[in-house]
Amino acid sequence: MSGDHHGSSAISERVRHVEALLEARGLVDEGEIDRSIDDFLAGGSPVNGARITARAWVDPGFRDRLLADANAAIRELGLSMAGGLQEQRLKVVANTEDEHNVVVCTLCSCYPIALLGPSPSWYKSEAYRSRVVRDPRGVLAEFGLELPAGTRISVWDASAESRYMVVPRRPEGTDGRPEEALAALVTRNGLIGTAAV
């Protein structure tokens, strides 16, 4: 057990203690939990979220399945939200002409690492977490995203059990582009909702 994924707080000490008990009882091999976390983090990338978005743009059936049951739909692309003993619930929301979605975790920084890679530092900041709920239009403007006054903004609050991802609107003039080229247009900020794409 390396403890690389833990800080020095009292909670971290408890986690290390539980890991030691699991290892002592033969329920996990020594270092197994750290290896699982390392594997999970190594596979996490915004490229995964971009692939999901591009597929949703070109395949209406996939888009429907994604919005209805994201965990099942992303398995079609060989992806999952399993990052430990239990799979996290993923809810995908899609931007439209009338509605723009943005994701936050007001309590800490819950985030779909497997699909978006490590979270940006601003996502974890108290300023973002508190302000995007109260003034989403103002926060989005600070990111350079000016939305029409009539666009409704929905703020989705992630939790330890549920993660969210935004499917941005497909950019105009991209008809006929292959899925890989479309995926290259998608940014991590677009998947969080702080950018148009």
Side-chain angles (χ1 to χ4, degrees), residues 90-169:
L90 176 65
K91 169 88 173 149
V92 173
V93 293
N95 289 342
T96 66
E97 188 175 337
D98 301 320
E99 181 179 22
H100 184 87
N101 298 281
V102 64
V103 178
V104 65
C105 177
T106 56
L107 294 177
C108 53
S109 58
C110 297
Y111 180 85
I113 293 171
L115 305 181
L116 306 185
S119 59
S121 59
W122 55 261
Y123 184 85
K124 302 174 211 173
S125 74
E126 187 175 336
Y128 174 77
R129 292 180 4 237
S130 62
R131 289 188 55 235
V132 75
V133 174
R134 290 189 324 254
D135 181 22
R137 193 171 299 278
V139 170
L140 294 177
E142 290 173 17
F143 277 92
L145 182 58
E146 299 282 345
L147 297 170
T151 302
R152 185 175 80 239
I153 301 173
S154 295
V155 179
W156 297 88
D157 193 1
S159 69
E161 296 83 25
S162 297
R163 304 293 194 264
Y164 293 90
M165 187 185 94
V166 175
V167 172
R169 291 179 60 201

Side-chain angles (χ1 to χ4, degrees), residues 54 177-185:
R177 285 195 188 181
E179 206 169 306
E180 298 77 24
L182 291 170
L185 300 174

